């Protein structure tokens, strides 16, 4: 499956400024692992110490949030995953 | 009208009397409740140019149509007055357990006039207003004051708001507190309460408003709960409260550090939720009718503050942790606790401490204080609250202090209200937010940082920013007129607000009509500010944010970019810039 991963500016910096990367996988988790293998800096940024998605990140598939299945949502050819930041200040 | 009592209570402290005022439906149709009603009352009950700390000012407590109804995020009240800190419009909101008993008194708003000769606390119920003498609690901290008033009133489910020594001493950024840790924090509303010699107010009563469509409101309540269960933002609030912003803002380079010199603090990892949990027991704590549970009920388990109980939020961590370089979150909790007990806004207090440290480095101000000096900062906070030594200057606010010390271009404020914890050189929309907010450099009127961080519009993008800003600001204004918690903003988009208003009040308003209502309220606050002499300089950022680069990223907010956002904003609002002089 060819899936596009859209990166926020913080992550884009870690892949030389690219905002979209094509990866393979049938779930969001597989796609992220594929991305992390190519760009280890991404893994360091988006995972916590226990390997979970870091708390301030969120995963969106075709603009719809994947919570609570952020790493297990099925994806198909042509889908777009976005690694987003949720800003809940106040 | 459904959702309202159509009644306002006026209390005259000077005469120790009270009377009711009937409010016509037309007022609610134009301004709704909360901020809309509060601003309408403020304009009608004050004369231009009054001294905010005189008996001529009024102190208004208001609820919204959602208060005490089956509505998520509705346990908040608002306070409206003329600010002693800015000399302009003041509003501040707090959660906790006060809004429902305040609504139970049977009034949409309570307007306190005049001033008492001696300390009093008020007991306002659905039957009476009592004036209790308060000399025995004058001078006490906020926690003890709340305990005493609750005990003396002796009514179950009473809601109590109080001031601490800072409010008594007319410190211009004193706040009003309830439930120990909840604060109507900004713009000095506590000083106005102190100027009237009111140590506290207890609210209780059993009045209930009529709802237009109670069954539909109940359905909306269930629907929202289900939406909340599937929302990642809700989970993040529950897991981390607003401390989730510490890593985000540092990664964006917009975390105010060393009094606005840098945007990343090299020790930010000591200020996160993880850091808090390593040293403390932390429990998510919610207001009534809330599933977000943003509160971090914390008990410190180790170190010199072992046993300290507090609740902490991002703004306080930024104000002391970032601006003053305090690299231990339990020490920030300690400073938070001092402010809460004394009854001072942590955001202004933290900013002032950072400002004083800078002033101390630059010249002889009679005080040597260093970054990271927790005990020195604690001592400074006490001096502010009691107006001792240098604290007397700081108690007048940053505008006054910076003038006295010749550092006017250096102080981070607009209208006299210190910046919230978002550097506008990175998050450029926040520059527009700080400049145009009716109460000064506030982050909450539009929370445009959400749009910039989430990618809705890039932080550096100027074109189109004012349009998004106005859309955000209008929706947030309605939140304040309904008095809904900001943290529910992702769960109440325009269409849900329309449904909510319809089910409660019966008013049928589409997005365009809602925007018109929001504009009416915003225009009213501007009317107040212009009446009170707001000048063009009051909608401008300090020069350093246009010229001094952030030390780590080198970013500035180019003046031309700021001017473009501001002129776009004025155009959309249909406003002229305020007069130069």
């Amino acid at each position: 499956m060819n899936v596009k991963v859209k990166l926020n500016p913080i992550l884009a910096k870690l892949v030389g400024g690219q905002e979209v990367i094509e990866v393979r996988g049938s779930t969001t988790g597989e796609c992220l692992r594929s991305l992390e293998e190519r760009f280890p800096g991404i893994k360091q940024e988006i995972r916590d110490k226990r390997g979970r998605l870091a708390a301030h990140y969120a995963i969106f598939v075709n603009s719809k949030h994947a919570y609570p299945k952020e790493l297990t949502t099925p994806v198909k050819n042509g889908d777009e995953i976005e690694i987003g930041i949720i800003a809940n200040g106040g | 009208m459904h959702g309202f009592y159509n009644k306002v209570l006026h209390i005259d402290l000077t005469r120790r009397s009270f009377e009711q005022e009937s409010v016509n439906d037309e007022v609610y149709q134009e301004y709704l409740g909360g901020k809309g009603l509060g601003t309408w009352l403020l304009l009608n009950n004050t004369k231009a140019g009054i001294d905010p700390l005189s008996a001529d000012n009024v102190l208004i407590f208001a609820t919204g149509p959602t208060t005490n109804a089956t509505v998520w995020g509705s346990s908040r009240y608002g306070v409206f007055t003329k600010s002693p800190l800015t000399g302009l419009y003041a509003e501040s909101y707090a959660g906790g357990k006060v809004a429902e008993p305040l609504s139970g008194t049977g009034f949409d708003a309570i307007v306190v006039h005049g001033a008492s000769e001696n300390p009093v606390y008020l007991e306002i119920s659905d039957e009476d207003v009592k004036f209790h003498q308060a000399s025995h609690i004058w001078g006490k901290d906020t926690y003890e004051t709340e305990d005493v008033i609750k005990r003396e009133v002796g009514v179950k489910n009473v809601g109590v708001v109080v001031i601490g020594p800072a409010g008594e001493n007319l410190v211009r950024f004193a706040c009003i507190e309830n439930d120990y840790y909840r604060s109507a924090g900004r713009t000095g509303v506590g000083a106005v309460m102190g100027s009237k010699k009111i140590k506290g107010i207890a609210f209780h009563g059993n009045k209930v408003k009529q709802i237009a469509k109670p069954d539909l409101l109940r359905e909306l309540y269930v629907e929202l709960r289900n939406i909340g269960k599937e929302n990642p933002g809700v989970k993040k609030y529950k897991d981390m409260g607003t401390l989730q912003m510490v890593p985000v803002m540092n990664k964006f380079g917009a975390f105010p550090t060393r009094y606005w010199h840098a945007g990343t603090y090299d020790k930010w990892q000591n200020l996160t939720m993880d850091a808090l949990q390593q040293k403390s027991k932390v429990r998510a704590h919610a207001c009534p009718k809330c599933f977000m549970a943003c509160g971090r009920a914390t008990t410190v388990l180790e170190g010199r503050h072992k046993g300290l109980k507090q609740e902490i939020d991002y703004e306080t961590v930024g104000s002391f942790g970032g601006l003053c370089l305090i690299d231990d979150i339990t020490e920030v909790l300690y400073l938070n606790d001092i402010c809460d007990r004394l009854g001072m806004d942590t955001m202004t207090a933290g900013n002032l401490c950072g400002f004083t440290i800078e002033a101390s480095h630059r010249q002889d101000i009679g005080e040597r204080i260093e970054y990271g000096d927790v005990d020195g900062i604690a001592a400074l906070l006490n001096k502010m609250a009691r107006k001792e030594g240098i604290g007397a200057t700081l108690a007048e606010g940053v505008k006054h202090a910076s003038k006295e010390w010749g550092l006017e271009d250096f102080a981070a404020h607009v209208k006299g209200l210190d910046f919230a914890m978002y550097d506008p050189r990175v998050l450029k929309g926040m520059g527009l937010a700080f400049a145009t907010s009716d109460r000064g450099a506030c982050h909450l009127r539009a929370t445009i940082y959400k749009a910039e961080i989430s990618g809705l519009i890039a932080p550096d993008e100027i074109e189109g920013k004012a349009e998004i800003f106005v859309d955000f600001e209008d929706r947030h204004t309605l939140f304040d007129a309904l008095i809904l918690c900001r943290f529910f903003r992702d769960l109440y988009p325009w269409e849900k607000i329309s449904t909510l208003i319809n089910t409660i009040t019966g008013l049928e308003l589409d997005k365009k009509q809602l925007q018109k209502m929001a504009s009416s309220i915003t225009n009213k606050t501007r009317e107040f500010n212009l009446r009170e002499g707001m000048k063009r300089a009051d909608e401008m950022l300090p020069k350093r944010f246009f010229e001094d680069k952030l030390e780590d990223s080198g970013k500035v907010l180019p003046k031309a970019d700021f001017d473009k956002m501001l002129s776009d904003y004025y155009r959309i609002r249909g406003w002229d810039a305020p007069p130069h002089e």
Side-chain angles (χ1 to χ4, degrees):
Chain A
M1 302 283 181
N2 279 326
V3 175
K4 286 179 183 169
V5 180
K6 196 174 162 194
L7 303 176
N8 66 52
I10 292 171
L11 299 178
K13 268 190 223 167
L14 302 173
V15 299
Q18 296 177 80
E19 291 177 355
V20 178
I21 306 278
E22 285 217 1
V23 296
R24 286 178 174 275
S26 59
T27 65
T28 45
E30 282 179 20
C31 291
L32 291 190
R33 275 194 293 278
S34 162
L35 179 72
E36 289 164 351
E37 281 165 17
R38 283 167 61 192
F39 303 101
I42 295 272
K43 184 174 183 180
Q44 212 170 352
E45 174 60 31
I46 68 171
R47 303 278 182 172
D48 67 14
K49 287 173 191 165
R50 284 186 264 180
R52 300 172 306 190
L53 189 70
H56 51 282
Y57 281 106
I59 302 296
F60 299 83
V61 177
N62 299 330
S63 301
K64 197 177 168 206
H65 62 72
Y67 177 82
K69 297 179 177 175
E70 290 181 310
L71 299 179
T72 56
T73 298
V75 288
K76 58 184 188 307
N77 210 22
D79 279 352
E80 184 179 271
I81 296 173
E82 184 179 349
I83 307 173
I85 293 176
I86 293 185
N88 282 330
Chain B
M1 182 186 289
H2 286 105
F4 296 100
Y5 295 111
N6 286 74
K7 280 195 301 187
V8 169
L9 176 67
H10 291 270
I11 298 173
D12 187 332
L13 280 165
T14 311
R15 294 182 182 150
R16 300 222 167 182
S17 62
F18 58 94
E19 62 182 8
Q20 294 182 20
E21 175 191 4
S22 294
V23 179
N24 294 329
D25 282 353
E26 288 74 26
V27 174
Y28 300 106
Q29 283 162 2
E30 185 160 7
Y31 304 115
L32 217 56
K35 179 171 186 167
L37 179 64
T39 307
W40 180 79
L41 286 167
L42 183 62
L43 271 161
N44 290 352
N45 287 279
T46 53
K47 288 181 183 163
I50 56 164
D51 175 354
L53 295 177
S54 73
D56 296 330
N57 200 2
V58 293
L59 185 65
I60 300 167
F61 292 84
T63 57
T66 64
T67 315
N68 218 2
T70 314
V71 178
W72 294 114
S74 62
S75 291
R76 293 178 75 75
Y77 66 93
V79 187
F80 307 89
T81 188
K82 179 175 176 178
S83 169
L85 187 63
T86 66
L88 299 171
Y89 181 76
E91 63 175 331
S92 203
Y93 303 85
K97 295 179 178 172
V98 166
E100 295 189 356
L102 171 53
S103 179
T105 62
F107 300 98
D108 299 317
I110 294 169
V111 185
V112 184
H113 303 252
S116 175
E117 271 190 33
N118 301 306
V120 292
Y121 74 84
L122 305 179
E123 181 183 352
I124 303 172
S125 72
D126 50 354
E127 295 178 346
D128 201 4
V129 176
K130 292 178 182 168
F131 301 81
H132 298 280
Q133 73 87 17
S135 53
H136 59 305
I137 45 175
W138 199 252
K140 304 283 187 197
D141 74 23
T142 57
Y143 302 170
E144 189 176 353
T145 302
E146 186 178 331
D147 289 345
V148 170
I149 293 175
K150 279 183 174 167
R151 193 170 59 239
E152 289 183 358
V153 171
V155 175
K156 201 180 167 192
N157 297 328
V158 65
V160 175
V161 298
V162 301
I163 60 166
E168 295 171 16
N169 294 331
L170 310 183
V171 173
R172 288 179 188 268
F173 48 92
C175 59
I176 294 174
E177 306 233 351
N178 56 275
D179 301 286
Y180 287 10
Y181 315 122
R182 300 287 168 165
S183 311
R186 306 227 76 189
T187 64
V189 293
V192 176
M193 192 153 143
S195 74
K196 298 186 178 305
K197 289 273 198 303
I198 307 171
K199 184 63 173 164
I201 308 176
F203 304 100
H204 60 90
N206 296 308
K207 297 281 187 194
V208 178
K209 292 177 283 192
Q210 295 301 305
I211 300 297
K213 300 171 184 175
D215 293 343
L216 289 178
L217 188 62
R218 184 82 208 167
E219 280 177 26
L220 183 63
Y221 190 72
V222 173
E223 183 193 346
L224 256 289
R225 182 68 193 98
N226 290 332
I227 291 173
K229 281 179 188 165
E230 305 245 314
N231 186 289
V234 172
K235 178 167 166 47
K236 296 196 194 297
Y237 265 125
K238 205 178 278 181
D239 289 348
M240 295 188 289
T242 55
L243 292 189
Q244 63 187 284
M245 293 301 286
V246 173
V248 174
M249 296 304 291
N250 275 281
K251 286 173 184 183
F252 266 82
F255 184 70
T257 302
R258 202 156 46 80
Y259 198 65
W260 304 96
H261 283 293
T264 308
Y265 182 24
D266 58 0
K267 295 179 180 165
W268 66 263
Q269 299 205 29
N270 295 346
L271 300 173
T272 62
M273 187 62 199
D274 280 348
L276 186 65
Q277 281 173 321
Q278 280 167 19
K279 296 183 173 184
S280 320
K281 184 180 171 190
V282 187
R283 180 174 54 83
H285 179 223
C287 296
K289 293 185 181 130
C290 176
F291 50 74
M292 295 273 178
C294 73
R296 305 292 91 186
T298 302
T299 306
V300 179
L301 297 177
E302 60 182 63
R304 67 178 192 147
H305 304 304
K306 187 177 176 182
L308 172 68
K309 291 182 190 299
Q310 247 300 336
E311 292 196 11
I312 198 162
D313 68 354
Y314 168 71
E315 293 296 333
T316 303
V317 168
S319 301
F320 286 109
L323 293 182
C324 302
L325 303 187
I326 307 295
D327 63 359
D328 180 335
I329 196 157
T330 62
E331 297 294 351
V332 177
L333 273 171
Y334 166 61
L335 297 172
N336 191 161
D337 197 59
I338 291 172
C339 289
D340 279 359
R341 285 177 182 276
L342 294 169
M344 294 194 297
D345 174 18
T346 55
M347 293 166 70
T348 283
N351 262 287
L352 281 172
C353 289
F355 180 68
T356 304
I357 293 165
E358 277 293 320
S360 164
H361 286 179
R362 285 164 182 243
Q363 60 191 296
D364 183 10
I365 56 167
E367 191 94 3
R368 285 304 299 168
I369 183 163
E370 295 296 330
Y371 282 112
D373 176 6
V374 177
D375 292 336
I377 290 168
L380 190 59
L381 293 172
N382 276 290
K383 285 181 186 172
M384 287 181 202
R386 301 183 200 290
K387 292 190 170 175
E388 291 170 359
I390 196 173
T393 300
L394 294 167
E396 299 300 309
V398 70
K399 201 170 176 179
H400 172 87
S402 62
K403 195 170 182 184
E404 190 159 302
W405 296 343
L407 294 170
E408 285 167 289
D409 287 339
F410 187 71
H413 75 91
V414 174
K415 299 182 176 70
L417 185 73
D418 309 78
F419 278 23
M421 298 300 112
Y422 303 85
D423 199 302
R425 286 166 286 195
V426 176
L427 301 174
K428 297 192 166 51
M430 292 306 292
L432 179 62
F434 289 164
T436 59
S437 161
D438 45 24
R439 69 175 185 175
C442 168
H443 60 301
L444 286 169
R445 299 314 96 196
T447 69
I448 190 70
Y449 64 84
K450 270 181 82 74
E452 297 186 308
I453 289 171
S454 68
L456 183 62
I457 186 165
D460 287 332
E461 181 63 57
I462 301 304
E463 194 67 45
K465 190 151 277 177
E467 282 79 1
I468 293 175
F469 183 89
V470 169
D471 187 77
F472 272 47
E473 186 176 55
D474 280 347
R475 193 159 62 87
H476 288 38
T477 297
L478 292 176
F479 263 58
D480 291 337
L482 291 160
I483 311 203
L484 276 180
C485 177
R486 269 296 179 282
F487 298 171
F488 280 78
R489 69 204 129 177
D490 291 346
L491 303 184
Y492 289 108
W494 282 105
E495 60 272 21
K496 281 278 183 294
I497 292 177
S498 176
T499 306
L500 187 64
I501 291 174
N502 178 252
T503 52
I504 294 174
T505 67
L507 290 170
E508 289 197 22
L509 302 167
D510 61 20
K511 182 177 174 182
K512 205 170 172 184
Q513 290 166 311
L514 288 172
Q515 286 171 317
K516 190 177 170 208
M517 179 184 265
S519 288
S520 294
I521 298 167
T522 304
N523 288 340
K524 213 71 183 160
T525 64
R526 190 167 186 79
E527 181 185 333
F528 182 86
N529 277 342
L530 290 170
R531 190 190 81 174
E532 297 304 323
M534 181 171 73
K535 300 288 185 285
R536 192 162 296 196
D538 294 316
E539 291 197 325
M540 185 54 60
L541 298 186
K543 206 164 62 174
R544 63 181 286 208
F545 291 88
F546 302 128
E547 295 174 359
D548 297 352
K549 292 177 180 173
L550 275 167
E551 289 173 4
D552 36 11
S553 65
K555 281 187 175 278
V556 293
L557 169 52
K559 179 71 166 41
D561 286 355
F562 173 80
D563 287 344
K564 158 83 176 146
M565 289 190 290
L566 189 62
S567 65
D568 285 352
Y569 179 77
Y570 287 153
R571 175 180 49 76
I572 298 164
R573 286 266 171 241
W575 292 348
D576 294 323
H580 280 292
E581 289 301 330

